[in-house]
């Protein structure tokens, strides 16, 4: 557990490998969303809700982003990041989450995003920060496994039970202990994803102790530098890429259909 009054240097050297891994997730996410937008505008109809080709990709992309967030938190704690800097970054994530909710409500009023990936990260980052030192990171492996398994355990316990409507409702479904998925365009509840973030933190602690040279790979290899740059700017890219893609395809659709 880390004290809320901990202090230290605000910055340390960039971990190029983590930036490059996050950049790879950004590229994959952008390609996925482009395919979704093509389907949304009727250019290439796909079943993004039921086809495993898309549902498994979505799970993998979110997992990679959340894992990278855990890696980043481990590195920040290892470099002595103080709480003031943590909260500055956290406010950026939380503010962008609110913008995502507003934008999705405008586009999809019946299925707007009220607890998507940024909303989930805003909650999970606080939990991660408070638990970052659990057993020097070693306890985060079993904690992560328990968190990943918890939705299936909760689903089995809640199935047809009196508490199922409470956990399925909007007041608690952000936890992820549900028996019925809510109707929303993006849903990243705390569980199981907190487990993936804890695994990322555990991996970050391990790499700092045992393989610190791995963390700088993205800086030294020319082929990885573009991905590392993209990974360092992942939040503005995340916020801007969908409006650009949707807007461009909307203009193309209007042009093809004569205005």
């Amino acid at each position: 557990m880390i004290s809320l009054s901990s202090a230290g240097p605000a910055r340390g050297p960039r971990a190029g490998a983590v930036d490059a891994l996050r950049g790879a997730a950004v590229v994959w996410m952008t390609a996925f969303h482009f395919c979704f937008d093509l389907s949304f505008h009727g250019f290439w109809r796909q079943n993004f809700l039921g086809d495993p080709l898309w549902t498994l990709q979505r799970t993998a992309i979110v997992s990679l982003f959340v894992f990278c967030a855990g890696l980043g938190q481990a590195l920040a704690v290892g470099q002595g990041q103080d709480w003031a800097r943590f909260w500055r970054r956290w406010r950026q994530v939380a503010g962008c989450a609110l913008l995502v909710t507003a934008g999705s409500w405008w586009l999809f009023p019946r299925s707007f995003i009220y607890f998507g990936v940024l909303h989930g990260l805003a909650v999970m980052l606080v939990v991660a920060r408070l638990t970052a030192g659990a057993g020097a990171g070693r306890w985060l492996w079993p904690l992560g496994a328990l968190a990943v398994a918890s939705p299936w355990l909760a689903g089995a316990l809640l199935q047809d039970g009196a508490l199922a409507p409470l956990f399925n409702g909007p007041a608690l479904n952000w936890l992820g202990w549900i028996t019925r998925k809510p109707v929303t365009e993006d849903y990243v509840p705390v569980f199981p994803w907190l487990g993936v973030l804890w695994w990322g933190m555990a991996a970050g602690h391990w790499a700092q102790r045992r393989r610190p040279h791995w963390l700088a790979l993205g800086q030294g290899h020319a082929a990885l530098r573009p991905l590392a740059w993209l990974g360092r700017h992942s939040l503005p890219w995340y916020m801007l890429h969908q409006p650009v893609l949707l807007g461009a395809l909307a203009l193309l659709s209007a042009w093809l259909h004569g205005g």
Side-chain angles (χ1 to χ4, degrees):
M1 196 73 76
I2 297 174
S3 170
L4 285 172
S5 61
S6 63
R11 293 179 182 271
R14 295 294 310 189
V18 178
D19 288 335
L21 188 61
R22 191 183 301 110
V26 168
V27 172
W28 193 358
M29 172 197 70
T30 305
F32 181 90
H33 282 164
F34 180 65
C35 294
F36 176 88
D37 297 343
L38 286 174
S39 180
F40 177 74
H41 282 289
F43 291 108
W44 185 41
R45 292 295 186 185
Q46 296 290 306
N47 180 9
F48 279 84
L49 296 178
D51 189 339
L53 172 66
W54 302 112
T55 58
L56 292 177
Q57 280 193 76
R58 188 258 180 192
T59 299
I61 293 167
V62 173
S63 297
L64 189 52
F65 268 113
V66 174
F67 187 83
C68 287
L71 284 172
Q73 281 301 295
L75 297 177
V77 170
Q79 292 167 359
Q81 182 196 64
D82 62 18
W83 276 89
R85 181 165 173 77
F86 170 84
W87 287 120
R88 283 198 295 272
R89 182 60 173 172
W90 182 88
R91 285 193 293 269
Q92 292 175 2
V93 173
C96 287
L98 294 177
L99 289 175
V100 167
T101 294
S104 65
W105 180 82
W106 181 67
L107 280 172
F108 311 103
R110 295 185 179 180
S111 58
F112 68 93
I113 300 169
Y114 62 89
F115 208 83
V117 64
L118 293 182
H119 306 73
L121 280 174
V123 174
M124 290 185 284
L125 286 174
V126 176
V127 177
R129 180 75 186 212
L130 292 170
T131 57
R138 296 177 182 87
W139 281 104
L140 297 175
W141 293 112
L143 281 174
L146 181 61
V148 167
S150 68
W152 287 271
L153 296 174
L157 292 173
L158 292 172
Q159 192 69 41
D160 301 323
L163 290 177
L166 175 64
F167 281 91
N168 287 331
L172 291 179
N173 64 21
W174 56 273
L175 288 170
W177 296 331
I178 58 173
T179 60
R180 183 181 67 253
K181 186 178 181 298
V183 179
T184 178
E185 294 298 318
D186 189 30
Y187 176 59
V188 182
V190 173
F191 300 100
W193 301 107
L194 178 59
V196 178
L197 191 141
W198 270 335
W199 283 341
M201 291 184 67
H205 284 303
W206 177 86
Q208 289 178 99
R209 290 194 307 268
R210 302 291 184 87
R211 299 292 189 274
H213 58 284
W214 286 5
L215 299 172
L217 287 176
Q219 303 289 6
H221 290 68
L224 295 179
R225 286 175 193 157
L227 286 178
W229 179 89
L230 194 56
R232 289 194 296 272
H233 301 88
S234 58
L235 186 57
W237 185 283
Y238 179 86
M239 294 301 296
L240 293 173
H241 81 284
Q242 270 294 68
V244 170
L245 289 175
L246 283 169
L249 288 174
L251 290 175
L252 178 61
S253 179
W255 179 73
L256 290 175
H257 294 90

Short mmCIF file of all heavy atoms in Angstrom, two decimals, residues 58-118:
data_model
loop_
_atom_site.label_atom_id
_atom_site.label_comp_id
_atom_site.label_asym_id
_atom_site.label_seq_id
_atom_site.Cartn_x
_atom_site.Cartn_y
_atom_site.Cartn_z
N ARG A 58 -12.13 -7.20 -30.03
CA ARG A 58 -12.43 -6.12 -29.08
C ARG A 58 -11.89 -6.44 -27.69
O ARG A 58 -11.29 -5.59 -27.03
CB ARG A 58 -13.95 -5.92 -29.06
CG ARG A 58 -14.41 -4.70 -28.27
CD ARG A 58 -14.93 -5.09 -26.93
NE ARG A 58 -15.39 -3.95 -26.16
CZ ARG A 58 -15.67 -4.01 -24.87
NH1 ARG A 58 -15.53 -5.13 -24.20
NH2 ARG A 58 -16.09 -2.93 -24.24
N THR A 59 -12.07 -7.69 -27.25
CA THR A 59 -11.55 -8.09 -25.94
C THR A 59 -10.03 -7.98 -25.90
O THR A 59 -9.45 -7.50 -24.92
CB THR A 59 -11.98 -9.53 -25.63
OG1 THR A 59 -13.41 -9.59 -25.58
CG2 THR A 59 -11.41 -10.00 -24.30
N ALA A 60 -9.37 -8.40 -26.97
CA ALA A 60 -7.91 -8.35 -27.02
C ALA A 60 -7.40 -6.91 -27.02
O ALA A 60 -6.40 -6.59 -26.34
CB ALA A 60 -7.41 -9.09 -28.26
N ILE A 61 -8.06 -6.04 -27.74
CA ILE A 61 -7.63 -4.63 -27.80
C ILE A 61 -7.78 -3.97 -26.43
O ILE A 61 -6.86 -3.29 -25.95
CB ILE A 61 -8.43 -3.87 -28.87
CG1 ILE A 61 -8.09 -4.38 -30.27
CG2 ILE A 61 -8.15 -2.37 -28.79
CD1 ILE A 61 -9.04 -3.91 -31.35
N VAL A 62 -8.92 -4.15 -25.80
CA VAL A 62 -9.13 -3.57 -24.47
C VAL A 62 -8.12 -4.14 -23.49
O VAL A 62 -7.54 -3.40 -22.67
CB VAL A 62 -10.57 -3.81 -24.00
CG1 VAL A 62 -10.74 -3.35 -22.55
CG2 VAL A 62 -11.57 -3.08 -24.89
N SER A 63 -7.88 -5.46 -23.57
CA SER A 63 -6.91 -6.08 -22.66
C SER A 63 -5.53 -5.47 -22.83
O SER A 63 -4.82 -5.21 -21.84
CB SER A 63 -6.84 -7.59 -22.92
OG SER A 63 -8.07 -8.22 -22.65
N LEU A 64 -5.13 -5.23 -24.07
CA LEU A 64 -3.81 -4.66 -24.32
C LEU A 64 -3.71 -3.24 -23.77
O LEU A 64 -2.70 -2.87 -23.16
CB LEU A 64 -3.53 -4.67 -25.82
CG LEU A 64 -2.11 -4.31 -26.28
CD1 LEU A 64 -1.07 -5.14 -25.54
CD2 LEU A 64 -1.97 -4.50 -27.78
N PHE A 65 -4.75 -2.43 -23.96
CA PHE A 65 -4.74 -1.08 -23.43
C PHE A 65 -4.67 -1.08 -21.90
O PHE A 65 -3.90 -0.33 -21.30
CB PHE A 65 -5.99 -0.31 -23.88
CG PHE A 65 -5.81 0.47 -25.14
CD1 PHE A 65 -6.49 0.11 -26.28
CD2 PHE A 65 -4.96 1.56 -25.20
CE1 PHE A 65 -6.33 0.82 -27.46
CE2 PHE A 65 -4.78 2.27 -26.37
CZ PHE A 65 -5.47 1.91 -27.51
N VAL A 66 -5.49 -1.92 -21.28
CA VAL A 66 -5.53 -1.95 -19.82
C VAL A 66 -4.23 -2.50 -19.25
O VAL A 66 -3.71 -2.01 -18.24
CB VAL A 66 -6.74 -2.78 -19.35
CG1 VAL A 66 -6.73 -2.96 -17.84
CG2 VAL A 66 -8.05 -2.09 -19.77
N PHE A 67 -3.66 -3.52 -19.91
CA PHE A 67 -2.37 -4.06 -19.49
C PHE A 67 -1.29 -2.98 -19.55
O PHE A 67 -0.47 -2.85 -18.63
CB PHE A 67 -2.00 -5.25 -20.37
CG PHE A 67 -0.77 -5.99 -19.93
CD1 PHE A 67 -0.84 -6.96 -18.94
CD2 PHE A 67 0.47 -5.73 -20.51
CE1 PHE A 67 0.30 -7.65 -18.53
CE2 PHE A 67 1.61 -6.41 -20.10
CZ PHE A 67 1.52 -7.37 -19.11
N CYS A 68 -1.29 -2.20 -20.63
CA CYS A 68 -0.33 -1.10 -20.76
C CYS A 68 -0.52 -0.05 -19.67
O CYS A 68 0.45 0.53 -19.17
CB CYS A 68 -0.44 -0.46 -22.14
SG CYS A 68 0.24 -1.46 -23.48
N ALA A 69 -1.79 0.21 -19.31
CA ALA A 69 -2.04 1.15 -18.22
C ALA A 69 -1.44 0.64 -16.92
O ALA A 69 -0.87 1.42 -16.14
CB ALA A 69 -3.54 1.38 -18.06
N GLY A 70 -1.52 -0.66 -16.68
CA GLY A 70 -0.90 -1.24 -15.50
C GLY A 70 0.62 -1.13 -15.54
O GLY A 70 1.25 -0.81 -14.54
N LEU A 71 1.20 -1.41 -16.70
CA LEU A 71 2.64 -1.23 -16.85
C LEU A 71 3.05 0.20 -16.53
O LEU A 71 4.03 0.44 -15.80
CB LEU A 71 3.06 -1.57 -18.29
CG LEU A 71 3.14 -3.03 -18.71
CD1 LEU A 71 3.37 -3.13 -20.21
CD2 LEU A 71 4.26 -3.75 -17.97
N GLY A 72 2.30 1.15 -17.07
CA GLY A 72 2.62 2.56 -16.85
C GLY A 72 2.52 2.95 -15.39
O GLY A 72 3.36 3.72 -14.89
N GLN A 73 1.53 2.41 -14.68
CA GLN A 73 1.41 2.73 -13.26
C GLN A 73 2.57 2.17 -12.45
O GLN A 73 3.08 2.82 -11.54
CB GLN A 73 0.09 2.20 -12.71
CG GLN A 73 -1.11 3.06 -13.06
CD GLN A 73 -0.95 4.47 -12.52
OE1 GLN A 73 -0.92 4.70 -11.32
NE2 GLN A 73 -0.84 5.44 -13.43
N ALA A 74 3.01 0.95 -12.79
CA ALA A 74 4.15 0.38 -12.09
C ALA A 74 5.40 1.22 -12.30
O ALA A 74 6.17 1.47 -11.36
CB ALA A 74 4.39 -1.06 -12.57
N LEU A 75 5.61 1.68 -13.53
CA LEU A 75 6.78 2.50 -13.81
C LEU A 75 6.69 3.85 -13.11
O LEU A 75 7.69 4.36 -12.59
CB LEU A 75 6.91 2.71 -15.33
CG LEU A 75 7.14 1.44 -16.16
CD1 LEU A 75 7.18 1.78 -17.64
CD2 LEU A 75 8.42 0.75 -15.74
N ALA A 76 5.48 4.44 -13.09
CA ALA A 76 5.32 5.73 -12.42
C ALA A 76 5.63 5.62 -10.93
O ALA A 76 6.32 6.47 -10.35
CB ALA A 76 3.90 6.25 -12.64
N VAL A 77 5.12 4.56 -10.31
CA VAL A 77 5.39 4.36 -8.88
C VAL A 77 6.88 4.10 -8.65
O VAL A 77 7.49 4.63 -7.71
CB VAL A 77 4.54 3.20 -8.34
CG1 VAL A 77 4.97 2.81 -6.93
CG2 VAL A 77 3.06 3.59 -8.33
N GLY A 78 7.49 3.30 -9.53
CA GLY A 78 8.91 3.01 -9.40
C GLY A 78 9.78 4.25 -9.55
O GLY A 78 10.87 4.32 -8.96
N GLN A 79 9.31 5.22 -10.32
CA GLN A 79 10.06 6.47 -10.51
C GLN A 79 9.71 7.52 -9.47
O GLN A 79 10.20 8.65 -9.53
CB GLN A 79 9.79 7.01 -11.91
CG GLN A 79 10.36 6.13 -13.02
CD GLN A 79 9.83 6.49 -14.40
OE1 GLN A 79 9.02 7.41 -14.54
NE2 GLN A 79 10.28 5.78 -15.41
N GLY A 80 8.83 7.18 -8.52
CA GLY A 80 8.50 8.10 -7.45
C GLY A 80 7.49 9.16 -7.81
O GLY A 80 7.51 10.26 -7.23
N GLN A 81 6.61 8.87 -8.75
CA GLN A 81 5.59 9.86 -9.13
C GLN A 81 4.75 10.23 -7.91
O GLN A 81 4.25 9.36 -7.20
CB GLN A 81 4.68 9.29 -10.22
CG GLN A 81 3.62 10.27 -10.71
CD GLN A 81 2.52 9.55 -11.49
OE1 GLN A 81 1.80 8.74 -10.94
NE2 GLN A 81 2.41 9.87 -12.77
N ASP A 82 4.57 11.52 -7.66
CA ASP A 82 3.78 11.92 -6.50
C ASP A 82 2.29 11.96 -6.86
O ASP A 82 1.89 11.83 -8.00
CB ASP A 82 4.26 13.27 -5.94
CG ASP A 82 4.12 14.41 -6.95
OD1 ASP A 82 3.36 14.27 -7.93
OD2 ASP A 82 4.79 15.44 -6.77
N TRP A 83 1.47 12.11 -5.82
CA TRP A 83 0.02 12.07 -6.02
C TRP A 83 -0.49 13.28 -6.79
O TRP A 83 -1.50 13.18 -7.48
CB TRP A 83 -0.69 11.93 -4.68
CG TRP A 83 -0.75 10.51 -4.24
CD1 TRP A 83 0.17 9.85 -3.49
CD2 TRP A 83 -1.77 9.56 -4.56
NE1 TRP A 83 -0.20 8.53 -3.32
CE2 TRP A 83 -1.40 8.33 -3.95
CE3 TRP A 83 -2.96 9.62 -5.27
CZ2 TRP A 83 -2.17 7.18 -4.06
CZ3 TRP A 83 -3.74 8.47 -5.39
CH2 TRP A 83 -3.35 7.26 -4.79
N ALA A 84 0.17 14.40 -6.66
CA ALA A 84 -0.28 15.59 -7.40
C ALA A 84 -0.22 15.34 -8.90
O ALA A 84 -1.16 15.67 -9.64
CB ALA A 84 0.57 16.81 -7.03
N ARG A 85 0.88 14.75 -9.35
CA ARG A 85 0.99 14.45 -10.79
C ARG A 85 0.01 13.35 -11.20
O ARG A 85 -0.58 13.39 -12.28
CB ARG A 85 2.42 14.05 -11.13
CG ARG A 85 2.59 13.75 -12.61
CD ARG A 85 4.04 13.73 -13.03
NE ARG A 85 4.18 13.28 -14.40
CZ ARG A 85 3.92 14.03 -15.47
NH1 ARG A 85 3.52 15.28 -15.32
NH2 ARG A 85 4.05 13.55 -16.69
N PHE A 86 -0.17 12.37 -10.33
CA PHE A 86 -1.15 11.31 -10.63
C PHE A 86 -2.54 11.91 -10.84
O PHE A 86 -3.23 11.58 -11.81
CB PHE A 86 -1.21 10.30 -9.48
CG PHE A 86 -2.35 9.33 -9.59
CD1 PHE A 86 -2.23 8.20 -10.37
CD2 PHE A 86 -3.56 9.57 -8.94
CE1 PHE A 86 -3.31 7.30 -10.49
CE2 PHE A 86 -4.63 8.69 -9.04
CZ PHE A 86 -4.50 7.55 -9.83
N TRP A 87 -2.96 12.81 -9.95
CA TRP A 87 -4.30 13.38 -10.07
C TRP A 87 -4.43 14.27 -11.29
O TRP A 87 -5.51 14.34 -11.89
CB TRP A 87 -4.67 14.15 -8.81
CG TRP A 87 -4.98 13.28 -7.64
CD1 TRP A 87 -4.34 13.28 -6.43
CD2 TRP A 87 -6.00 12.28 -7.55
NE1 TRP A 87 -4.89 12.33 -5.60
CE2 TRP A 87 -5.91 11.71 -6.26
CE3 TRP A 87 -6.97 11.79 -8.43
CZ2 TRP A 87 -6.76 10.68 -5.84
CZ3 TRP A 87 -7.81 10.77 -8.02
CH2 TRP A 87 -7.71 10.24 -6.75
N ARG A 88 -3.36 14.92 -11.72
CA ARG A 88 -3.43 15.72 -12.95
C ARG A 88 -3.73 14.82 -14.15
O ARG A 88 -4.57 15.15 -14.99
CB ARG A 88 -2.12 16.49 -13.17
CG ARG A 88 -1.95 17.70 -12.30
CD ARG A 88 -0.88 18.64 -12.83
NE ARG A 88 0.44 18.04 -12.81
CZ ARG A 88 1.26 18.08 -11.77
NH1 ARG A 88 0.89 18.70 -10.65
NH2 ARG A 88 2.46 17.53 -11.83
N ARG A 89 -3.03 13.72 -14.23
CA ARG A 89 -3.28 12.78 -15.33
C ARG A 89 -4.66 12.16 -15.20
O ARG A 89 -5.37 11.98 -16.20
CB ARG A 89 -2.20 11.69 -15.33
CG ARG A 89 -2.34 10.67 -16.47
CD ARG A 89 -2.25 11.33 -17.82
NE ARG A 89 -2.24 10.34 -18.89
CZ ARG A 89 -2.32 10.64 -20.17
NH1 ARG A 89 -2.41 11.91 -20.55
NH2 ARG A 89 -2.28 9.69 -21.08
N TRP A 90 -5.04 11.83 -13.97
CA TRP A 90 -6.35 11.20 -13.75
C TRP A 90 -7.47 12.13 -14.21
O TRP A 90 -8.45 11.67 -14.80
CB TRP A 90 -6.52 10.86 -12.27
CG TRP A 90 -7.82 10.18 -11.97
CD1 TRP A 90 -8.07 8.83 -12.01
CD2 TRP A 90 -9.06 10.80 -11.62
NE1 TRP A 90 -9.38 8.58 -11.70
CE2 TRP A 90 -10.01 9.76 -11.46
CE3 TRP A 90 -9.46 12.12 -11.42
CZ2 TRP A 90 -11.34 10.02 -11.10
CZ3 TRP A 90 -10.78 12.37 -11.08
CH2 TRP A 90 -11.70 11.34 -10.91
N ARG A 91 -7.36 13.42 -13.95
CA ARG A 91 -8.40 14.36 -14.37
C ARG A 91 -8.52 14.41 -15.89
O ARG A 91 -9.62 14.60 -16.41
CB ARG A 91 -8.11 15.76 -13.80
CG ARG A 91 -8.42 15.89 -12.32
CD ARG A 91 -8.43 17.36 -11.88
NE ARG A 91 -7.09 17.94 -11.96
CZ ARG A 91 -6.22 17.95 -10.94
NH1 ARG A 91 -6.54 17.38 -9.79
NH2 ARG A 91 -5.04 18.51 -11.09
N GLN A 92 -7.42 14.24 -16.59
CA GLN A 92 -7.48 14.20 -18.05
C GLN A 92 -8.29 12.98 -18.52
O GLN A 92 -9.14 13.09 -19.41
CB GLN A 92 -6.07 14.14 -18.65
CG GLN A 92 -5.26 15.40 -18.44
CD GLN A 92 -3.83 15.23 -18.95
OE1 GLN A 92 -3.46 14.19 -19.49
NE2 GLN A 92 -3.02 16.27 -18.76
N VAL A 93 -8.01 11.82 -17.91
CA VAL A 93 -8.73 10.60 -18.29
C VAL A 93 -10.23 10.74 -17.95
O VAL A 93 -11.10 10.43 -18.77
CB VAL A 93 -8.12 9.38 -17.58
CG1 VAL A 93 -8.97 8.13 -17.82
CG2 VAL A 93 -6.70 9.15 -18.06
N ALA A 94 -10.53 11.20 -16.73
CA ALA A 94 -11.92 11.33 -16.31
C ALA A 94 -12.67 12.36 -17.15
O ALA A 94 -13.83 12.16 -17.53
CB ALA A 94 -11.99 11.71 -14.83
N GLY A 95 -12.01 13.49 -17.47
CA GLY A 95 -12.65 14.50 -18.31
C GLY A 95 -12.95 13.97 -19.70
O GLY A 95 -14.03 14.23 -20.26
N CYS A 96 -12.01 13.22 -20.27
CA CYS A 96 -12.25 12.63 -21.60
C CYS A 96 -13.38 11.59 -21.53
O CYS A 96 -14.15 11.45 -22.49
CB CYS A 96 -10.98 12.00 -22.13
SG CYS A 96 -9.74 13.21 -22.67
N ALA A 97 -13.48 10.88 -20.42
CA ALA A 97 -14.57 9.92 -20.27
C ALA A 97 -15.93 10.63 -20.33
O ALA A 97 -16.88 10.14 -20.96
CB ALA A 97 -14.43 9.16 -18.95
N LEU A 98 -16.03 11.77 -19.69
CA LEU A 98 -17.28 12.53 -19.74
C LEU A 98 -17.58 13.02 -21.15
O LEU A 98 -18.74 13.02 -21.59
CB LEU A 98 -17.19 13.72 -18.77
CG LEU A 98 -17.11 13.38 -17.29
CD1 LEU A 98 -16.95 14.64 -16.46
CD2 LEU A 98 -18.35 12.59 -16.84
N LEU A 99 -16.53 13.41 -21.89
CA LEU A 99 -16.74 13.83 -23.28
C LEU A 99 -17.21 12.66 -24.13
O LEU A 99 -18.06 12.83 -25.03
CB LEU A 99 -15.44 14.40 -23.85
CG LEU A 99 -15.00 15.76 -23.30
CD1 LEU A 99 -13.64 16.15 -23.86
CD2 LEU A 99 -16.04 16.84 -23.63
N VAL A 100 -16.68 11.47 -23.89
CA VAL A 100 -17.12 10.28 -24.61
C VAL A 100 -18.60 10.01 -24.34
O VAL A 100 -19.37 9.70 -25.25
CB VAL A 100 -16.27 9.06 -24.22
CG1 VAL A 100 -16.91 7.76 -24.71
CG2 VAL A 100 -14.87 9.19 -24.80
N THR A 101 -19.01 10.15 -23.09
CA THR A 101 -20.42 9.96 -22.75
C THR A 101 -21.29 10.96 -23.49
O THR A 101 -22.32 10.59 -24.09
CB THR A 101 -20.64 10.11 -21.24
OG1 THR A 101 -19.96 9.05 -20.56
CG2 THR A 101 -22.12 10.06 -20.88
N ALA A 102 -20.90 12.22 -23.50
CA ALA A 102 -21.69 13.25 -24.18
C ALA A 102 -21.76 13.00 -25.68
O ALA A 102 -22.83 13.08 -26.30
CB ALA A 102 -21.09 14.63 -23.90
N GLY A 103 -20.61 12.67 -26.31
CA GLY A 103 -20.60 12.43 -27.74
C GLY A 103 -21.38 11.20 -28.13
O GLY A 103 -22.11 11.20 -29.15
N SER A 104 -21.26 10.14 -27.35
CA SER A 104 -21.99 8.91 -27.69
C SER A 104 -23.49 9.08 -27.45
O SER A 104 -24.31 8.47 -28.15
CB SER A 104 -21.46 7.73 -26.86
OG SER A 104 -21.70 7.91 -25.48
N TRP A 105 -23.87 9.90 -26.48
CA TRP A 105 -25.31 10.15 -26.26
C TRP A 105 -25.90 10.87 -27.47
O TRP A 105 -27.03 10.62 -27.86
CB TRP A 105 -25.50 10.99 -25.00
CG TRP A 105 -26.94 11.30 -24.73
CD1 TRP A 105 -27.85 10.48 -24.12
CD2 TRP A 105 -27.65 12.49 -25.07
NE1 TRP A 105 -29.09 11.10 -24.06
CE2 TRP A 105 -28.99 12.34 -24.63
CE3 TRP A 105 -27.27 13.68 -25.69
CZ2 TRP A 105 -29.94 13.33 -24.82
CZ3 TRP A 105 -28.23 14.66 -25.86
CH2 TRP A 105 -29.54 14.49 -25.43
N TRP A 106 -25.12 11.75 -28.08
CA TRP A 106 -25.58 12.46 -29.27
C TRP A 106 -25.74 11.50 -30.45
O TRP A 106 -26.71 11.59 -31.20
CB TRP A 106 -24.60 13.58 -29.61
CG TRP A 106 -24.98 14.38 -30.81
CD1 TRP A 106 -26.07 15.21 -30.94
CD2 TRP A 106 -24.31 14.44 -32.07
NE1 TRP A 106 -26.10 15.79 -32.18
CE2 TRP A 106 -25.03 15.33 -32.91
CE3 TRP A 106 -23.16 13.83 -32.56
CZ2 TRP A 106 -24.64 15.60 -34.21
CZ3 TRP A 106 -22.76 14.12 -33.86
CH2 TRP A 106 -23.50 14.99 -34.68
N LEU A 107 -24.79 10.56 -30.60
CA LEU A 107 -24.84 9.63 -31.73
C LEU A 107 -25.76 8.44 -31.46
O LEU A 107 -26.47 7.99 -32.36
CB LEU A 107 -23.43 9.11 -32.04
CG LEU A 107 -22.50 10.01 -32.84
CD1 LEU A 107 -21.10 9.40 -32.88
CD2 LEU A 107 -23.04 10.22 -34.25
N PHE A 108 -25.71 7.92 -30.24
CA PHE A 108 -26.46 6.70 -29.90
C PHE A 108 -27.25 6.93 -28.62
O PHE A 108 -26.90 6.41 -27.56
CB PHE A 108 -25.51 5.52 -29.70
CG PHE A 108 -24.48 5.33 -30.79
CD1 PHE A 108 -23.16 5.72 -30.59
CD2 PHE A 108 -24.83 4.76 -32.00
CE1 PHE A 108 -22.22 5.54 -31.58
CE2 PHE A 108 -23.90 4.56 -33.00
CZ PHE A 108 -22.59 4.96 -32.79
N PRO A 109 -28.31 7.71 -28.67
CA PRO A 109 -29.02 8.07 -27.43
C PRO A 109 -29.58 6.88 -26.66
O PRO A 109 -29.76 6.95 -25.45
CB PRO A 109 -30.14 9.01 -27.92
CG PRO A 109 -30.27 8.74 -29.38
CD PRO A 109 -28.92 8.34 -29.85
N ARG A 110 -29.87 5.79 -27.36
CA ARG A 110 -30.43 4.62 -26.68
C ARG A 110 -29.36 3.67 -26.16
O ARG A 110 -29.69 2.74 -25.41
CB ARG A 110 -31.37 3.86 -27.63
CG ARG A 110 -32.60 4.67 -28.04
CD ARG A 110 -33.53 3.84 -28.88
NE ARG A 110 -34.73 4.59 -29.25
CZ ARG A 110 -35.72 4.10 -29.99
NH1 ARG A 110 -35.65 2.87 -30.46
NH2 ARG A 110 -36.78 4.85 -30.27
N SER A 111 -28.13 3.84 -26.58
CA SER A 111 -27.07 2.93 -26.15
C SER A 111 -25.76 3.69 -25.90
O SER A 111 -24.68 3.18 -26.20
CB SER A 111 -26.84 1.84 -27.20
OG SER A 111 -26.52 2.41 -28.47
N PHE A 112 -25.87 4.90 -25.36
CA PHE A 112 -24.69 5.73 -25.17
C PHE A 112 -23.72 5.08 -24.17
O PHE A 112 -24.10 4.19 -23.39
CB PHE A 112 -25.08 7.13 -24.72
CG PHE A 112 -25.66 7.20 -23.33
CD1 PHE A 112 -24.85 7.47 -22.24
CD2 PHE A 112 -27.02 7.01 -23.12
CE1 PHE A 112 -25.37 7.54 -20.96
CE2 PHE A 112 -27.56 7.08 -21.84
CZ PHE A 112 -26.74 7.34 -20.77
N ILE A 113 -22.49 5.53 -24.20
CA ILE A 113 -21.42 4.95 -23.37
C ILE A 113 -21.42 5.64 -22.01
O ILE A 113 -21.07 6.82 -21.92
CB ILE A 113 -20.06 5.10 -24.06
CG1 ILE A 113 -20.06 4.37 -25.41
CG2 ILE A 113 -18.94 4.55 -23.16
CD1 ILE A 113 -18.85 4.70 -26.27
N TYR A 114 -21.78 4.93 -20.98
CA TYR A 114 -21.75 5.50 -19.64
C TYR A 114 -20.66 4.88 -18.77
O TYR A 114 -20.31 5.43 -17.72
CB TYR A 114 -23.11 5.35 -18.95
CG TYR A 114 -23.55 3.92 -18.74
CD1 TYR A 114 -23.19 3.23 -17.60
CD2 TYR A 114 -24.33 3.27 -19.69
CE1 TYR A 114 -23.60 1.93 -17.39
CE2 TYR A 114 -24.73 1.97 -19.50
CZ TYR A 114 -24.36 1.29 -18.36
OH TYR A 114 -24.74 -0.02 -18.18
N PHE A 115 -20.11 3.74 -19.20
CA PHE A 115 -18.97 3.15 -18.47
C PHE A 115 -18.13 2.36 -19.47
O PHE A 115 -18.09 1.14 -19.44
CB PHE A 115 -19.43 2.27 -17.31
CG PHE A 115 -18.42 2.21 -16.19
CD1 PHE A 115 -18.39 3.20 -15.23
CD2 PHE A 115 -17.50 1.18 -16.12
CE1 PHE A 115 -17.45 3.17 -14.21
CE2 PHE A 115 -16.56 1.14 -15.10
CZ PHE A 115 -16.53 2.13 -14.13
N GLY A 116 -17.43 3.11 -20.33
CA GLY A 116 -16.55 2.51 -21.32
C GLY A 116 -15.12 2.41 -20.80
O GLY A 116 -14.87 2.45 -19.59
N VAL A 117 -14.19 2.32 -21.73
CA VAL A 117 -12.79 2.06 -21.33
C VAL A 117 -12.21 3.20 -20.50
O VAL A 117 -11.51 2.96 -19.51
CB VAL A 117 -11.93 1.76 -22.58
CG1 VAL A 117 -11.85 2.96 -23.51
CG2 VAL A 117 -10.54 1.30 -22.17
N LEU A 118 -12.50 4.46 -20.84
CA LEU A 118 -11.94 5.57 -20.05
C LEU A 118 -12.61 5.67 -18.69
O LEU A 118 -11.95 6.00 -17.69
CB LEU A 118 -12.09 6.88 -20.82
CG LEU A 118 -11.25 7.01 -22.09
CD1 LEU A 118 -11.46 8.38 -22.72
CD2 LEU A 118 -9.77 6.77 -21.81
#
